[in-house]
Amino acid sequence: MNLRRFALIAVPYIWLLALFLVPFLIVLKISLSDIALARPPYMPQLDLSAGWEGITSFFAALDFENFVFLTTDDLYWRAYLSSLQIAALSTFITLCIGYPIAYGMARAPLEWRATLLMLVILPFWTSFLIRVYAWMGILSNEGLLNQFLMWTGLISAPLTILNTNTAVYIGIVYTYLPFMILPIYAALEKMDESLLEAAEDLGCSRIQAFWLVTIPLSRNGIIAGCFLVFIPAIGEFVIPSLLGGSGTLMIGKVLWEEFFSNRDWPVASAVAIILLLILIIPIILFQRNEQKAREAEG
Amino acid sequence: MSQKVFAPWEDATEKPLIQFKGVTKKFGDFVAIDNLSLDIYQKEFFALLGPSGCGKTTMMRMLAGFEAPTHGTILLAGQDIAPVPPNKRAVNMMFQSYALFPHLSVWDNIAFGLRREGQDKDAIAARVEEMLRLTRLSKFAKRKPHQISGGQRQRVALARSLAKAPKLLLLDEPLGALDAKLRQDTQFELMDIQEKTGTTFVIVTHDQEEAMTVASRVAVMDEGRVIQVATPSVIYEAPETVYVADFIGDVNIIQGRASQDADKVRIDWAEGQPPIIGTTQKTFSPSQTCHFAIRPEKVAISTEQPEAPNVLQGRVIDIAYLGNLSTYHVELPDGTMMKAQTANTRRLSRRDITWEDNVWLSFTDTAGVLLER
Ligand SMILES: Nc1ncnc2c1ncn2[C@@H]1O[C@H](COP(=O)(O)OP(=O)(O)OP(=O)(O)O)[C@@H](O)[C@H]1O
Ligand SMILES: [Mg+2]
């Protein structure tokens, strides 16, 4: 009995250990190493054949040099700040678009809801990369959007959207919209509509009832949705590198360039470690929100 | 000591608080309320009684403003309420499901309506405390709805709807979820609150005993129509139709042919059986089909033939023991079943009538009512 319970609990922990903790330790070790023209391109390597001396000299060679380096070049902290800003703003836009959609879905006739839910999830059936490429086709100077706008006569010269921050926002909002809609929809769908009638009965206008009842009751859904968009958006790499331009500064892109263009694995690892530390705060907050929501439901 | 009896519906000068005037409500083709006219007076405790789906909740929702009548008008204090949105009506509703706000504490739930009125903080606090005391909830003020019991939740819903001191309070099956004891306590509490606040109550209930206990008048409904509106005692003692007689309490219905002589009616109801003699104010044409309705407690049962205007012989088939009462199911020679009820003043073991006994049933000529339909 106890053994079974232990086995049951052990599975997710082993999973976490293998797929999160071990890679994390490897990256941490690389971030403390020095760059080297070798394969792999960093020093020192752990040499167990040298015995105890090998281990001590290995640890002696590790230092925080790369982290110090990150503070000397303002590229990095500007990239972190810009990522935070882009993630925060796109989360806000996603919320503004996602909430009305979720609300509409939750108020739709019951027989429609499954279909609407399906439509929200449908984009996941094609590759994320293909969908981002499709946006390149839509947003480019000769793209569908510009052609359409010129055809309607709204503009006379094509708008430059692709390779700007605007395109990055569009890409992030588009990609992460379902993650915003689904938790809000779940919260709104559970809501008892007689609560709104009760609020009106007690003297609220429709709009007051929305602010005083609907919004507070979907609060957990809103928070969950915001984290689900914000957390991956900070580290987003594909969208800024495909849709963004030279002016788009995001930490995911910096990371990529350090790894693959500069082949400076130690600095890239340091960037990744800092990013992780930044993300841990919202992740913990998210966890706490989820736990509270579960407790409130009893 | 002459206390004026509360009966505004008998006073022609009294203005009703609510008037339904030829109200019809349709959902698509389905007629939920059918050309209904009804007056409800100030300070009444008005009960709507009827089988499931007869339109009670629909009536309430029209009063509260969540549904609009398809035809007809509803007047509140002489004003047509159709153009008034729910949040502007001096009507509060206690929902069948309570509809408490789960994110607010008991205190904030009760204060919700008061805050919308823009009263100042102290006035709100004083009113909420008063409501908490009235419903005996002071101890639970800080809890959330999911942290209190079902009965407490029901009282919060009541306190919340009472807090704004509405002209009219609508209670949709307010006590449905409570056990018998708590239900009875709450019924008396409701009557007490009604007396103290002078609010007009309209209550929906499935429980006819509840309607009888609390109501000043009862409306018996069926399929969107009101069949009879009267005080509980009139509904019980003088139902107008077999439907009403049958819906409220236990009753024996015997169908037969009437032959009238002044206010006495002879009912021939079975071949070879003595006719039943009844009294009525109505006129029946000779050999018109009529129904004789008599409550079981008005039928006496004995082992020896008694002297009475109506005496019937039969055999005991079943005895239902209800604690304080026993109901005897007696089969008459033609197969008709008749129920007679007696108070159990003696211990069970000393009762002298048991199964298969031949017995005599008797009742006076004024004990039952004669109904045309
Ligand atoms: N929104 C609606 N759409 C269609 N039909 C409805 C709607 N609301 C009520 N009805 C129908 O109107 C009739 C009356 O409903 P109502 O809720 O008033 O019944 P009720 O007397 O309150 O019943 P219960 O005692 O079961 O609560 C029912 O047959 C119901 O199916
Ligand atoms: Mg109902």
Side-chain angles (χ1 to χ4, degrees):
Chain A
M1 187 62 214
N2 254 340
L3 195 73
R4 252 186 56 190
R5 211 156 95 197
F6 177 78
L8 221 59
I9 297 170
V11 170
Y13 276 96
I14 291 170
W15 181 270
L16 272 179
L17 196 73
L19 293 177
F20 185 78
L21 197 60
V22 170
F24 171 77
L25 288 176
I26 294 172
V27 173
L28 181 67
K29 187 254 150 187
I30 298 174
S31 74
L32 299 174
S33 313
D34 293 318
I35 187 166
L37 278 175
R39 184 176 292 240
Y42 52 85
M43 289 273 290
Q45 308 294 338
L46 183 56
D47 184 9
L48 284 176
S49 61
W52 182 244
E53 222 161 273
I55 295 174
T56 49
S57 68
F58 168 75
F59 277 103
L62 296 179
D63 53 44
F64 287 94
E65 212 170 51
N66 298 313
F67 292 93
V68 175
F69 172 73
L70 291 188
T71 61
T72 58
D73 191 337
D74 68 353
L75 167 77
Y76 299 102
W77 65 260
R78 280 199 299 121
Y80 281 120
L81 275 187
S82 155
S83 298
L84 280 173
Q85 191 207 325
I86 289 176
L89 188 57
S90 17
T91 303
F92 178 73
I93 299 169
T94 316
L95 176 63
C96 292
I97 297 173
Y99 198 97
I101 295 176
Y103 188 87
M105 283 168 62
R107 292 280 166 278
L110 203 61
E111 62 268 25
W112 281 41
R113 288 188 202 165
T115 316
L116 292 173
L117 206 58
M118 192 70 185
L119 288 175
V120 170
I121 302 169
L122 202 63
F124 290 119
W125 288 14
T126 51
S127 152
F128 162 61
L129 219 53
I130 290 176
R131 285 181 283 135
V132 177
Y133 272 114
W135 274 108
M136 293 171 75
I138 295 171
L139 298 177
S140 69
N141 278 2
E142 305 79 40
L144 290 173
L145 181 65
N146 274 317
Q147 280 182 20
F148 174 74
L149 289 178
M150 305 236 289
W151 174 75
T152 58
L154 277 172
I155 53 169
S156 49
L159 299 171
T160 314
I161 302 175
L162 192 62
N163 301 331
T164 66
N165 276 1
T166 312
V168 175
Y169 284 119
I170 292 175
I172 293 180
V173 169
Y174 162 76
T175 307
Y176 292 107
L177 195 58
F179 295 101
M180 185 63 88
I181 293 176
L182 293 178
I184 295 177
Y185 169 75
L188 286 176
E189 207 216 1
K190 268 194 314 216
M191 205 180 94
D192 181 1
E193 266 184 72
S194 67
L195 292 178
L196 292 178
E197 287 185 345
E200 274 190 71
D201 191 61
L202 292 165
C204 279
S205 64
R206 291 264 165 98
I207 294 170
Q208 276 179 317
F210 177 77
W211 284 107
L212 292 169
V213 178
T214 311
I215 291 280
L217 286 178
S218 53
R219 199 180 126 251
N220 285 321
I222 294 173
I223 294 176
C226 285
F227 281 125
L228 287 178
V229 175
F230 183 75
I231 294 169
I234 288 185
E236 185 54 59
F237 152 71
V238 174
I239 295 170
S241 57
L242 291 183
L243 300 179
S246 50
T248 308
L249 199 54
M250 281 194 82
I251 199 66
K253 223 170 104 185
V254 172
L255 190 66
W256 168 274
E257 272 155 18
E258 289 297 346
F259 254 116
F260 296 97
S261 309
N262 296 352
R263 280 188 67 77
D264 190 343
W265 288 27
V267 167
S269 303
V271 169
I273 295 287
I274 300 281
L275 179 60
L276 188 74
L277 292 180
I278 293 174
L279 284 180
I280 273 179
I281 299 164
I283 288 173
I284 289 175
L285 289 176
F286 174 69
Q287 287 282 347
R288 202 171 285 169
N289 173 61
E290 290 291 284
Q291 195 169 342
K292 252 200 254 160
R294 239 172 288 135
E295 273 166 19
E297 271 161 37
Chain B
M1 202 179 101
S2 78
Q3 196 177 0
K4 194 162 160 275
V5 186
F6 177 74
W9 49 89
E10 283 173 356
D11 185 350
T13 60
E14 195 81 33
K15 281 244 174 1
L17 179 68
I18 305 162
Q19 282 177 287
F20 281 80
K21 286 191 167 170
V23 172
T24 297
K25 174 71 193 176
K26 290 186 188 169
F27 293 107
D29 286 340
F30 179 78
V31 182
I33 298 288
D34 190 2
N35 191 20
L36 179 138
S37 295
L38 183 68
D39 292 346
I40 300 173
Y41 292 85
Q42 189 122 31
K43 296 188 182 173
E44 264 207 85
F45 206 126
F46 195 90
L48 295 173
L49 201 56
S52 187
C54 71
K56 305 180 298 288
T57 300
T58 307
M59 264 181 79
M60 290 268 194
R61 291 175 58 80
M62 286 196 290
L63 279 173
F66 301 125
E67 307 280 1
T70 316
H71 304 293
T73 49
I74 304 172
L75 306 181
L76 179 66
Q79 299 276 315
D80 184 1
I81 53 172
V84 186
N87 55 330
K88 296 280 187 332
R89 294 190 185 185
V91 175
N92 283 137
M93 179 149 163
M94 179 181 161
F95 287 72
Q96 203 164 354
S97 59
Y98 308 153
L100 298 179
F101 303 120
H103 59 296
L104 298 178
S105 67
V106 167
W107 207 99
D108 289 323
N109 261 287
I110 298 173
F112 192 92
L114 301 170
R115 293 207 169 115
R116 304 289 84 71
E117 286 179 337
Q119 296 186 8
D120 68 271
K121 270 212 171 86
D122 297 336
I124 292 175
R127 181 72 180 156
V128 173
E129 294 299 334
E130 189 188 339
M131 287 298 118
L132 286 170
R133 261 199 311 281
L134 190 69
T135 49
R136 289 186 261 141
L137 283 166
S138 304
K139 268 193 283 183
F140 309 103
K142 291 215 176 61
R143 302 233 194 130
K144 292 274 174 70
H146 67 94
Q147 294 165 322
I148 55 178
S149 77
Q152 290 159 353
R153 245 173 265 169
Q154 181 254 320
R155 299 212 295 270
V156 177
L158 182 65
R160 188 179 70 176
S161 50
L162 271 172
K164 289 183 79 171
K167 268 193 211 164
L168 173 63
L169 187 61
L170 307 171
L171 307 166
D172 197 350
E173 293 186 41
L175 315 180
L178 306 186
D179 66 65
K181 180 81 178 67
L182 188 54
R183 179 188 288 229
Q184 213 169 41
D185 286 352
T186 317
Q187 283 168 3
F188 286 116
E189 225 171 283
L190 278 180
M191 296 199 297
D192 206 35
I193 290 168
Q194 203 256 359
E195 216 148 275
K196 274 186 202 151
T197 58
T199 308
T200 307
F201 279 52
V202 177
I203 183 171
V204 165
T205 174
H206 271 298
D207 180 351
Q208 35 140 323
E209 223 173 282
E210 185 169 294
M212 307 294 275
T213 313
V214 298
S216 61
R217 281 193 304 161
V218 176
V220 180
M221 296 180 63
D222 186 31
E223 294 186 347
R225 277 163 303 147
V226 168
I227 308 293
Q228 187 175 0
V229 185
T231 60
S233 57
V234 170
I235 291 268
Y236 191 76
E237 300 288 347
E240 278 169 9
T241 65
V242 172
Y243 178 83
V244 174
D246 205 22
F247 195 80
I248 311 279
D250 226 353
V251 73
N252 297 299
I253 307 273
I254 292 172
Q255 194 180 342
R257 306 210 160 272
S259 40
Q260 191 161 14
D261 176 19
D263 67 340
K264 296 283 180 241
V265 180
R266 217 181 73 154
I267 305 149
D268 293 302
W269 58 282
E271 205 69 29
Q273 289 288 318
I276 291 171
I277 310 295
T279 311
T280 190
Q281 309 299 327
K282 299 183 194 123
T283 21
F284 290 88
S285 50
S287 78
Q288 183 189 347
T289 306
C290 72
H291 303 267
F292 181 75
I294 185 164
R295 302 283 177 197
E297 71 272 15
K298 299 208 168 72
V299 179
I301 186 166
S302 56
T303 45
E304 258 136 58
Q305 182 165 10
E307 269 304 312
N310 292 295
V311 177
L312 301 167
Q313 201 179 4
R315 199 162 53 92
V316 176
I317 298 295
D318 203 1
I319 304 173
Y321 176 66
L322 305 171
N324 53 341
L325 300 170
S326 284
T327 304
Y328 297 87
H329 296 246
V330 176
E331 188 181 23
L332 304 182
D334 72 322
T336 310
M337 294 299 293
M338 194 143 173
K339 281 177 258 180
Q341 202 167 54
T342 56
N344 288 330
T345 45
R346 293 188 186 185
R347 298 293 300 270
L348 201 54
S349 54
R350 313 247 328 255
R351 280 191 327 202
D352 50 1
I353 299 171
T354 60
W355 284 268
E356 302 295 330
D357 276 1
N358 279 314
V359 291
W360 297 91
L361 300 177
S362 61
F363 43 92
T364 64
D365 54 1
T366 53
V369 279
L370 274 141
L371 305 168
E372 287 163 48
R373 60 195 160 82

